[in-house]
Amino acid sequence: MERIEEQAFAKINLYLDVTGKRPDGYHDLVTVMQSVSLCDTLTLTRTAGEGFALDTGDALPADDSNLVTRAANAYFAAAGTRFGVSVRLEKHIPMQAGLGGGSADAAATLRALNTLDNNRFTQEQLCEIGARIGADVPFCVVGGTRLCRGIGERMEHAENNLGATLVLAIGAEGVSTPQAFRALDARYGDFREGRDEPSLDALLCAMRAGDAKAAAPHFQNLFETVIEPLRPAVVRWKELLRANGALAAMMSGSGPAVWGLFADRAAAEDAAQVLRASGADAYVCAWQA
Ligand code: C5P
């Protein structure tokens, strides 16, 4: 195969708790991650020689800071060999929003390179390579619904039968993930208090049963406590989503993107219109298996 198109799906967090800080500065999490249909598109073409070229259409820097480039470097380092490839990245996922766009791009790069390379690596091996690039990359390699622990690399299958349509609200100034973790450190110290795992069990059970009403009180994200005072739009969007029919609304990851859950598509489209009228960007999307 010489040319491949790969979709890089955004993720949202349906549950996110921080349970401790590691000596290396990273944090232990318990999080339910869910892929959604909003995506970037990568087109990879095999080229002669061993060169690597990335075209982002000026949407973002195409240098070594780009996670696509870092993923390609990690892939070829693990393979111990190289082949020439050019990548075109079409960006749709907002950046610094808590939607894992960069991680999704890195994961899609790994998957596509592996396909061009006749599946040299198993999915598990691709996850191991991904973990060297970023904490959310292993999840993005696999996608769907996963309960993740550790820094996000210990994944278990979770079932999501909530038959809902999502609205994503975005548009406030981006949040830097390391800064958001530092704000949590300042507030929670060693994270020994405030954990609510029974809520996780109730959430997983309601998700499996497809019962959005039962799930609603159990969605939670510890980052909201430190980001909402810095990004008042998060609170406003949640209120707007709920006032316009959302069964639940919560910030994703370290924010500021907010998701709302709707029973049907018409209600979601109406709420998205209200959000746009208030100055936010709003995307209607679905769960991505
Ligand atoms: O792994 P990634 O590069 O996506 O993480 C960005 C930053 O977020 C890390 O440098 C670290 O400061 C913080 N982080 C963390 N604990 C995690 C994931 C990320 O402290 N589990």
Side-chain angles (χ1 to χ4, degrees):
M1 197 178 299
E2 297 304 313
R3 186 191 176 95
I4 184 169
E5 198 175 282
E6 189 79 25
Q7 286 174 310
F9 295 103
K11 62 85 187 163
I12 58 172
N13 301 81
L14 299 176
Y15 181 100
L16 195 166
D17 190 24
V18 179
T19 56
K21 193 172 178 190
R22 299 178 168 206
D24 66 2
Y26 269 77
H27 294 75
D28 282 314
L29 311 175
V30 180
T31 182
V32 177
M33 307 252 262
Q34 170 68 55
S35 303
V36 298
S37 56
L38 176 65
C39 65
D40 295 339
T41 303
L42 287 86
T43 309
L44 284 83
T45 310
R46 272 192 88 134
T47 53
E50 298 187 344
F52 177 82
L54 172 61
D55 170 14
T56 65
D58 290 336
L60 68 170
D63 59 15
D64 284 359
S65 70
N66 192 293
L67 286 184
V68 170
T69 309
R70 288 176 47 198
N73 288 339
Y75 183 93
F76 290 126
T81 177
R82 300 187 68 92
F83 54 84
V85 65
S86 71
V87 183
R88 161 106 185 113
L89 170 61
E90 210 180 285
K91 200 76 199 149
H92 300 288
I93 307 172
M95 287 177 273
Q96 291 211 307
L99 297 173
S103 303
D105 295 342
T109 303
L110 295 177
R111 284 195 306 263
L113 286 173
N114 200 39
T115 305
L116 290 174
D117 202 10
N118 299 317
N119 296 313
R120 176 188 295 271
F121 297 114
T122 62
Q123 187 182 65
E124 204 180 330
Q125 290 171 320
L126 280 190
C127 287
E128 280 167 23
I129 301 169
R132 291 170 215 153
I133 304 161
D136 289 345
V137 179
F139 166 76
C140 292
V141 167
V142 179
T145 314
R146 291 284 183 283
L147 168 61
C148 304
R149 295 179 190 270
I151 65 167
E153 82 293 1
R154 272 168 37 217
M155 289 184 275
E156 295 165 41
H157 178 71
E159 225 176 293
N160 184 0
N161 296 312
L162 302 172
T165 301
L166 287 166
V167 174
L168 301 180
I170 305 157
E173 189 190 337
V175 170
S176 138
T177 304
Q179 270 172 26
F181 275 106
R182 280 198 286 278
L184 285 182
D185 289 341
R187 171 107 175 231
Y188 296 102
D190 60 9
F191 299 96
R192 289 259 158 80
E193 278 173 38
R195 299 208 296 280
D196 196 13
E197 281 244 358
S199 176
L200 172 65
D201 291 337
L203 176 63
L204 292 172
C205 189
M207 284 171 58
R208 205 176 309 123
D211 188 340
K213 273 214 178 85
H218 303 297
F219 295 112
Q220 58 171 293
N221 180 356
L222 193 66
F223 278 114
E224 283 188 336
T225 59
V226 292
I227 300 302
E228 285 182 354
L230 303 174
R231 298 285 184 279
V234 169
V235 181
R236 215 165 49 238
W237 295 336
K238 280 167 46 178
E239 283 167 2
L240 267 180
L241 285 161
R242 290 198 186 110
N244 287 277
L247 305 167
M250 196 177 81
M251 193 178 81
S252 179
S254 53
V258 166
W259 56 260
L261 205 66
F262 290 83
D264 62 77
R265 182 142 192 132
E269 295 283 2
D270 289 348
Q273 279 302 342
V274 173
L275 278 159
R276 288 182 197 120
S278 82
D281 293 330
Y283 301 82
V284 176
C285 57
W287 309 130
Q288 182 67 41

Tab-separated table of all heavy atoms in Angstrom, residues 207-259:
chain	number	residue	atom	x	y	z
A	207	MET	N	-23.609	3.307	32.273
A	207	MET	CA	-23.178	3.360	30.863
A	207	MET	C	-23.460	2.018	30.183
A	207	MET	O	-23.923	1.966	29.045
A	207	MET	CB	-21.684	3.691	30.768
A	207	MET	CG	-21.375	5.163	31.023
A	207	MET	SD	-19.604	5.482	31.172
A	207	MET	CE	-18.989	4.885	29.603
A	208	ARG	N	-23.150	0.940	30.902
A	208	ARG	CA	-23.372	-0.401	30.347
A	208	ARG	C	-24.860	-0.616	30.090
A	208	ARG	O	-25.263	-1.146	29.056
A	208	ARG	CB	-22.848	-1.445	31.337
A	208	ARG	CG	-22.464	-2.757	30.694
A	208	ARG	CD	-21.856	-3.720	31.711
A	208	ARG	NE	-20.785	-3.131	32.505
A	208	ARG	CZ	-20.767	-3.060	33.838
A	208	ARG	NH1	-21.750	-3.567	34.558
A	208	ARG	NH2	-19.755	-2.491	34.475
A	209	ALA	N	-25.693	-0.126	31.045
A	209	ALA	CA	-27.141	-0.301	30.926
A	209	ALA	C	-27.757	0.680	29.920
A	209	ALA	O	-28.935	0.571	29.582
A	209	ALA	CB	-27.781	-0.122	32.295
A	210	GLY	N	-26.974	1.653	29.462
A	210	GLY	CA	-27.496	2.641	28.509
A	210	GLY	C	-28.467	3.607	29.162
A	210	GLY	O	-29.363	4.136	28.515
A	211	ASP	N	-28.285	3.848	30.459
A	211	ASP	CA	-29.221	4.683	31.219
A	211	ASP	C	-28.588	6.057	31.503
A	211	ASP	O	-27.888	6.244	32.501
A	211	ASP	CB	-29.555	3.946	32.528
A	211	ASP	CG	-30.666	4.623	33.312
A	211	ASP	OD1	-30.921	5.825	33.067
A	211	ASP	OD2	-31.263	3.960	34.168
A	212	ALA	N	-28.868	7.014	30.620
A	212	ALA	CA	-28.219	8.328	30.734
A	212	ALA	C	-28.645	9.052	32.008
A	212	ALA	O	-27.836	9.750	32.627
A	212	ALA	CB	-28.538	9.178	29.510
A	213	LYS	N	-29.903	8.892	32.394
A	213	LYS	CA	-30.396	9.572	33.616
A	213	LYS	C	-29.645	9.070	34.845
A	213	LYS	O	-29.276	9.839	35.719
A	213	LYS	CB	-31.893	9.329	33.794
A	213	LYS	CG	-32.745	10.336	33.068
A	213	LYS	CD	-34.042	10.614	33.862
A	213	LYS	CE	-34.872	11.662	33.150
A	213	LYS	NZ	-35.730	11.088	32.112
A	214	ALA	N	-29.432	7.743	34.899
A	214	ALA	CA	-28.711	7.163	36.041
A	214	ALA	C	-27.241	7.554	36.000
A	214	ALA	O	-26.596	7.707	37.037
A	214	ALA	CB	-28.862	5.642	36.039
A	215	ALA	N	-26.698	7.722	34.796
A	215	ALA	CA	-25.277	8.077	34.663
A	215	ALA	C	-25.025	9.525	35.059
A	215	ALA	O	-23.968	9.857	35.615
A	215	ALA	CB	-24.813	7.846	33.222
A	216	ALA	N	-26.006	10.392	34.785
A	216	ALA	CA	-25.809	11.851	34.884
A	216	ALA	C	-25.127	12.324	36.170
A	216	ALA	O	-24.178	13.113	36.102
A	216	ALA	CB	-27.124	12.573	34.658
A	217	PRO	N	-25.569	11.865	37.370
A	217	PRO	CA	-24.929	12.414	38.577
A	217	PRO	C	-23.500	11.919	38.798
A	217	PRO	O	-22.811	12.418	39.689
A	217	PRO	CB	-25.832	11.932	39.725
A	217	PRO	CG	-26.816	10.996	39.144
A	217	PRO	CD	-26.658	10.935	37.673
A	218	HIS	N	-23.055	10.944	38.014
A	218	HIS	CA	-21.760	10.306	38.284
A	218	HIS	C	-20.634	10.723	37.337
A	218	HIS	O	-19.500	10.285	37.500
A	218	HIS	CB	-21.932	8.791	38.279
A	218	HIS	CG	-22.948	8.328	39.272
A	218	HIS	ND1	-22.784	8.512	40.631
A	218	HIS	CD2	-24.158	7.746	39.113
A	218	HIS	CE1	-23.859	8.048	41.255
A	218	HIS	NE2	-24.704	7.585	40.358
A	219	PHE	N	-20.945	11.535	36.334
A	219	PHE	CA	-19.863	12.085	35.513
A	219	PHE	C	-19.082	13.050	36.392
A	219	PHE	O	-19.683	13.863	37.107
A	219	PHE	CB	-20.430	12.862	34.317
A	219	PHE	CG	-21.181	12.010	33.327
A	219	PHE	CD1	-22.552	12.134	33.161
A	219	PHE	CD2	-20.507	11.092	32.546
A	219	PHE	CE1	-23.245	11.358	32.246
A	219	PHE	CE2	-21.188	10.310	31.625
A	219	PHE	CZ	-22.555	10.442	31.479
A	220	GLN	N	-17.773	12.984	36.392
A	220	GLN	CA	-17.025	13.990	37.163
A	220	GLN	C	-15.619	14.184	36.625
A	220	GLN	O	-15.041	13.282	36.012
A	220	GLN	CB	-16.999	13.649	38.642
A	220	GLN	CG	-16.403	12.301	38.972
A	220	GLN	CD	-16.226	12.181	40.486
A	220	GLN	OE1	-15.417	12.875	41.078
A	220	GLN	NE2	-16.985	11.297	41.102
A	221	ASN	N	-15.130	15.384	36.837
A	221	ASN	CA	-13.807	15.762	36.333
A	221	ASN	C	-13.161	16.700	37.348
A	221	ASN	O	-13.591	17.847	37.511
A	221	ASN	CB	-13.963	16.453	34.974
A	221	ASN	CG	-12.628	16.868	34.401
A	221	ASN	OD1	-11.582	16.712	35.041
A	221	ASN	ND2	-12.652	17.420	33.200
A	222	LEU	N	-12.118	16.223	38.015
A	222	LEU	CA	-11.465	17.019	39.057
A	222	LEU	C	-10.917	18.345	38.522
A	222	LEU	O	-10.834	19.331	39.253
A	222	LEU	CB	-10.329	16.200	39.698
A	222	LEU	CG	-9.755	16.766	40.998
A	222	LEU	CD1	-10.790	16.724	42.120
A	222	LEU	CD2	-8.494	16.007	41.431
A	223	PHE	N	-10.539	18.375	37.236
A	223	PHE	CA	-9.985	19.613	36.660
A	223	PHE	C	-10.982	20.772	36.700
A	223	PHE	O	-10.572	21.934	36.692
A	223	PHE	CB	-9.551	19.392	35.205
A	223	PHE	CG	-8.200	18.765	35.056
A	223	PHE	CD1	-8.066	17.496	34.524
A	223	PHE	CD2	-7.050	19.447	35.416
A	223	PHE	CE1	-6.812	16.916	34.367
A	223	PHE	CE2	-5.797	18.886	35.259
A	223	PHE	CZ	-5.678	17.614	34.741
A	224	GLU	N	-12.289	20.456	36.712
A	224	GLU	CA	-13.268	21.546	36.723
A	224	GLU	C	-13.040	22.474	37.914
A	224	GLU	O	-13.201	23.683	37.806
A	224	GLU	CB	-14.698	20.981	36.799
A	224	GLU	CG	-15.209	20.424	35.481
A	224	GLU	CD	-16.688	20.052	35.561
A	224	GLU	OE1	-17.178	19.788	36.675
A	224	GLU	OE2	-17.323	20.029	34.494
A	225	THR	N	-12.631	21.879	39.053
A	225	THR	CA	-12.521	22.679	40.277
A	225	THR	C	-11.454	23.764	40.158
A	225	THR	O	-11.551	24.793	40.811
A	225	THR	CB	-12.200	21.782	41.493
A	225	THR	OG1	-10.955	21.100	41.249
A	225	THR	CG2	-13.288	20.755	41.739
A	226	VAL	N	-10.425	23.529	39.343
A	226	VAL	CA	-9.369	24.544	39.217
A	226	VAL	C	-9.471	25.354	37.920
A	226	VAL	O	-8.933	26.461	37.836
A	226	VAL	CB	-7.949	23.924	39.346
A	226	VAL	CG1	-7.716	23.421	40.761
A	226	VAL	CG2	-7.696	22.828	38.326
A	227	ILE	N	-10.147	24.818	36.906
A	227	ILE	CA	-10.213	25.528	35.618
A	227	ILE	C	-11.425	26.467	35.546
A	227	ILE	O	-11.346	27.548	34.946
A	227	ILE	CB	-10.215	24.527	34.429
A	227	ILE	CG1	-8.918	23.682	34.444
A	227	ILE	CG2	-10.362	25.248	33.094
A	227	ILE	CD1	-7.623	24.487	34.386
A	228	GLU	N	-12.527	26.079	36.174
A	228	GLU	CA	-13.724	26.934	36.076
A	228	GLU	C	-13.482	28.363	36.567
A	228	GLU	O	-13.933	29.315	35.924
A	228	GLU	CB	-14.909	26.288	36.804
A	228	GLU	CG	-15.480	25.133	35.991
A	228	GLU	CD	-16.697	24.487	36.635
A	228	GLU	OE1	-17.049	24.849	37.783
A	228	GLU	OE2	-17.285	23.615	35.984
A	229	PRO	N	-12.739	28.561	37.670
A	229	PRO	CA	-12.486	29.952	38.083
A	229	PRO	C	-11.637	30.724	37.059
A	229	PRO	O	-11.735	31.946	36.979
A	229	PRO	CB	-11.720	29.802	39.403
A	229	PRO	CG	-12.028	28.423	39.877
A	229	PRO	CD	-12.230	27.596	38.652
A	230	LEU	N	-10.810	30.003	36.277
A	230	LEU	CA	-9.952	30.667	35.290
A	230	LEU	C	-10.652	30.870	33.943
A	230	LEU	O	-10.286	31.755	33.168
A	230	LEU	CB	-8.689	29.812	35.031
A	230	LEU	CG	-7.820	29.477	36.239
A	230	LEU	CD1	-6.709	28.515	35.844
A	230	LEU	CD2	-7.230	30.764	36.822
A	231	ARG	N	-11.625	30.016	33.648
A	231	ARG	CA	-12.341	30.080	32.365
A	231	ARG	C	-13.838	30.070	32.650
A	231	ARG	O	-14.499	29.034	32.549
A	231	ARG	CB	-11.990	28.869	31.478
A	231	ARG	CG	-10.534	28.737	31.070
A	231	ARG	CD	-10.144	29.750	29.989
A	231	ARG	NE	-8.762	29.515	29.558
A	231	ARG	CZ	-7.684	29.932	30.207
A	231	ARG	NH1	-7.817	30.611	31.346
A	231	ARG	NH2	-6.485	29.691	29.723
A	232	PRO	N	-14.385	31.259	33.009
A	232	PRO	CA	-15.810	31.323	33.376
A	232	PRO	C	-16.726	30.810	32.262
A	232	PRO	O	-17.848	30.381	32.537
A	232	PRO	CB	-16.054	32.816	33.624
A	232	PRO	CG	-14.710	33.452	33.693
A	232	PRO	CD	-13.704	32.554	33.080
A	233	ALA	N	-16.238	30.824	31.011
A	233	ALA	CA	-17.070	30.334	29.904
A	233	ALA	C	-17.470	28.877	30.120
A	233	ALA	O	-18.546	28.456	29.683
A	233	ALA	CB	-16.313	30.476	28.578
A	234	VAL	N	-16.620	28.121	30.815
A	234	VAL	CA	-16.921	26.702	31.047
A	234	VAL	C	-18.240	26.568	31.818
A	234	VAL	O	-19.103	25.763	31.464
A	234	VAL	CB	-15.757	26.013	31.816
A	234	VAL	CG1	-16.150	24.628	32.308
A	234	VAL	CG2	-14.516	25.949	30.935
A	235	VAL	N	-18.385	27.382	32.853
A	235	VAL	CA	-19.603	27.343	33.673
A	235	VAL	C	-20.804	27.786	32.834
A	235	VAL	O	-21.872	27.175	32.860
A	235	VAL	CB	-19.446	28.253	34.916
A	235	VAL	CG1	-20.696	28.210	35.786
A	235	VAL	CG2	-18.218	27.844	35.716
A	236	ARG	N	-20.590	28.855	32.064
A	236	ARG	CA	-21.674	29.396	31.226
A	236	ARG	C	-22.141	28.352	30.211
A	236	ARG	O	-23.325	28.132	30.022
A	236	ARG	CB	-21.126	30.637	30.507
A	236	ARG	CG	-22.150	31.723	30.326
A	236	ARG	CD	-21.531	33.056	29.946
A	236	ARG	NE	-20.583	32.993	28.854
A	236	ARG	CZ	-19.310	33.389	28.934
A	236	ARG	NH1	-18.845	33.868	30.070
A	236	ARG	NH2	-18.509	33.323	27.882
A	237	TRP	N	-21.179	27.693	29.544
A	237	TRP	CA	-21.551	26.687	28.529
A	237	TRP	C	-22.295	25.525	29.159
A	237	TRP	O	-23.254	25.013	28.585
A	237	TRP	CB	-20.299	26.155	27.819
A	237	TRP	CG	-19.564	27.175	27.002
A	237	TRP	CD1	-20.084	28.309	26.460
A	237	TRP	CD2	-18.188	27.136	26.630
A	237	TRP	NE1	-19.105	28.981	25.784
A	237	TRP	CE2	-17.938	28.283	25.873
A	237	TRP	CE3	-17.143	26.245	26.872
A	237	TRP	CZ2	-16.687	28.572	25.333
A	237	TRP	CZ3	-15.907	26.509	26.346
A	237	TRP	CH2	-15.668	27.667	25.587
A	238	LYS	N	-21.856	25.095	30.335
A	238	LYS	CA	-22.551	23.978	30.996
A	238	LYS	C	-23.990	24.381	31.314
A	238	LYS	O	-24.921	23.597	31.090
A	238	LYS	CB	-21.806	23.582	32.285
A	238	LYS	CG	-20.599	22.708	32.007
A	238	LYS	CD	-19.657	22.539	33.180
A	238	LYS	CE	-20.283	22.232	34.485
A	238	LYS	NZ	-19.280	22.047	35.557
A	239	GLU	N	-24.148	25.614	31.805
A	239	GLU	CA	-25.506	26.078	32.125
A	239	GLU	C	-26.364	26.155	30.866
A	239	GLU	O	-27.509	25.718	30.867
A	239	GLU	CB	-25.445	27.459	32.800
A	239	GLU	CG	-25.029	27.367	34.265
A	239	GLU	CD	-24.666	28.725	34.865
A	239	GLU	OE1	-24.768	29.768	34.153
A	239	GLU	OE2	-24.265	28.739	36.042
A	240	LEU	N	-25.780	26.699	29.787
A	240	LEU	CA	-26.531	26.812	28.533
A	240	LEU	C	-26.931	25.437	28.000
A	240	LEU	O	-28.052	25.239	27.540
A	240	LEU	CB	-25.666	27.515	27.470
A	240	LEU	CG	-25.802	29.022	27.336
A	240	LEU	CD1	-24.887	29.539	26.238
A	240	LEU	CD2	-27.249	29.404	27.027
A	241	LEU	N	-25.991	24.490	28.070
A	241	LEU	CA	-26.283	23.134	27.579
A	241	LEU	C	-27.426	22.524	28.396
A	241	LEU	O	-28.391	21.989	27.835
A	241	LEU	CB	-25.030	22.254	27.666
A	241	LEU	CG	-23.965	22.521	26.589
A	241	LEU	CD1	-22.608	21.956	27.008
A	241	LEU	CD2	-24.397	21.925	25.248
A	242	ARG	N	-27.337	22.651	29.721
A	242	ARG	CA	-28.379	22.057	30.584
A	242	ARG	C	-29.719	22.756	30.368
A	242	ARG	O	-30.754	22.100	30.275
A	242	ARG	CB	-27.969	22.148	32.052
A	242	ARG	CG	-26.812	21.209	32.378
A	242	ARG	CD	-26.694	20.976	33.881
A	242	ARG	NE	-25.505	20.187	34.181
A	242	ARG	CZ	-24.419	20.652	34.792
A	242	ARG	NH1	-24.368	21.917	35.189
A	242	ARG	NH2	-23.384	19.867	35.011
A	243	ALA	N	-29.677	24.100	30.263
A	243	ALA	CA	-30.929	24.844	30.070
A	243	ALA	C	-31.575	24.506	28.734
A	243	ALA	O	-32.768	24.708	28.548
A	243	ALA	CB	-30.655	26.349	30.156
A	244	ASN	N	-30.789	23.979	27.805
A	244	ASN	CA	-31.313	23.641	26.483
A	244	ASN	C	-31.444	22.135	26.266
A	244	ASN	O	-31.367	21.661	25.141
A	244	ASN	CB	-30.472	24.304	25.394
A	244	ASN	CG	-30.739	25.795	25.327
A	244	ASN	OD1	-31.691	26.232	24.704
A	244	ASN	ND2	-29.931	26.571	26.034
A	245	GLY	N	-31.594	21.416	27.373
A	245	GLY	CA	-31.994	20.014	27.260
A	245	GLY	C	-30.915	18.976	27.488
A	245	GLY	O	-31.192	17.781	27.361
A	246	ALA	N	-29.673	19.394	27.798
A	246	ALA	CA	-28.631	18.381	28.013
A	246	ALA	C	-28.956	17.544	29.248
A	246	ALA	O	-29.349	18.080	30.285
A	246	ALA	CB	-27.270	19.053	28.179
A	247	LEU	N	-28.793	16.222	29.120
A	247	LEU	CA	-29.002	15.317	30.258
A	247	LEU	C	-27.847	15.444	31.236
A	247	LEU	O	-27.980	15.177	32.428
A	247	LEU	CB	-29.092	13.874	29.757
A	247	LEU	CG	-30.154	13.615	28.686
A	247	LEU	CD1	-29.955	12.253	28.046
A	247	LEU	CD2	-31.536	13.722	29.312
A	248	ALA	N	-26.685	15.839	30.728
A	248	ALA	CA	-25.498	16.060	31.551
A	248	ALA	C	-24.558	16.947	30.749
A	248	ALA	O	-24.613	16.973	29.512
A	248	ALA	CB	-24.805	14.740	31.880
A	249	ALA	N	-23.692	17.687	31.442
A	249	ALA	CA	-22.704	18.532	30.769
A	249	ALA	C	-21.475	18.617	31.658
A	249	ALA	O	-21.599	18.776	32.885
A	249	ALA	CB	-23.263	19.929	30.509
A	250	MET	N	-20.305	18.470	31.063
A	250	MET	CA	-19.073	18.483	31.862
A	250	MET	C	-17.884	18.935	31.009
A	250	MET	O	-17.897	18.779	29.786
A	250	MET	CB	-18.816	17.078	32.417
A	250	MET	CG	-17.812	17.022	33.544
A	250	MET	SD	-17.631	15.347	34.192
A	250	MET	CE	-16.509	14.644	32.984
A	251	MET	N	-16.870	19.453	31.668
A	251	MET	CA	-15.644	19.815	30.966
A	251	MET	C	-14.871	18.538	30.617
A	251	MET	O	-14.895	17.566	31.359
A	251	MET	CB	-14.797	20.724	31.861
A	251	MET	CG	-13.656	21.418	31.135
A	251	MET	SD	-12.747	22.515	32.240
A	251	MET	CE	-11.676	21.334	33.058
A	252	SER	N	-14.158	18.558	29.498
A	252	SER	CA	-13.338	17.409	29.093
A	252	SER	C	-11.874	17.656	29.459
A	252	SER	O	-11.349	18.758	29.222
A	252	SER	CB	-13.442	17.199	27.583
A	252	SER	OG	-12.637	16.098	27.201
A	253	GLY	N	-11.220	16.658	30.033
A	253	GLY	CA	-9.794	16.745	30.334
A	253	GLY	C	-9.464	18.013	31.100
A	253	GLY	O	-10.190	18.424	32.003
A	254	SER	N	-8.357	18.674	30.702
A	254	SER	CA	-7.973	19.892	31.407
A	254	SER	C	-8.634	21.124	30.788
A	254	SER	O	-8.269	22.249	31.091
A	254	SER	CB	-6.445	20.029	31.425
A	254	SER	OG	-5.923	19.920	30.126
A	255	GLY	N	-9.629	20.895	29.930
A	255	GLY	CA	-10.463	21.956	29.394
A	255	GLY	C	-9.769	22.783	28.323
A	255	GLY	O	-8.641	22.491	27.931
A	256	PRO	N	-10.488	23.849	27.892
A	256	PRO	CA	-11.804	24.284	28.379
A	256	PRO	C	-12.999	23.706	27.611
A	256	PRO	O	-14.125	24.132	27.871
A	256	PRO	CB	-11.740	25.806	28.180
A	256	PRO	CG	-10.909	25.974	26.940
A	256	PRO	CD	-9.903	24.848	26.969
A	257	ALA	N	-12.801	22.746	26.703
A	257	ALA	CA	-13.954	22.220	25.966
A	257	ALA	C	-14.940	21.575	26.943
A	257	ALA	O	-14.543	20.946	27.919
A	257	ALA	CB	-13.510	21.191	24.937
A	258	VAL	N	-16.210	21.762	26.645
A	258	VAL	CA	-17.291	21.197	27.457
A	258	VAL	C	-18.140	20.312	26.556
A	258	VAL	O	-18.384	20.661	25.404
A	258	VAL	CB	-18.158	22.348	28.042
A	258	VAL	CG1	-19.465	21.836	28.599
A	258	VAL	CG2	-17.377	23.097	29.120
A	259	TRP	N	-18.564	19.154	27.084
A	259	TRP	CA	-19.493	18.321	26.316
A	259	TRP	C	-20.848	18.309	26.989
A	259	TRP	O	-20.957	18.406	28.210
A	259	TRP	CB	-18.965	16.903	26.110
A	259	TRP	CG	-18.596	16.146	27.362
A	259	TRP	CD1	-17.341	15.971	27.868
A	259	TRP	CD2	-19.487	15.469	28.280
A	259	TRP	NE1	-17.396	15.239	29.031
A	259	TRP	CE2	-18.705	14.908	29.303
A	259	TRP	CE3	-20.861	15.285	28.322
A	259	TRP	CZ2	-19.254	14.189	30.364
A	259	TRP	CZ3	-21.413	14.566	29.378
A	259	TRP	CH2	-20.603	14.019	30.378
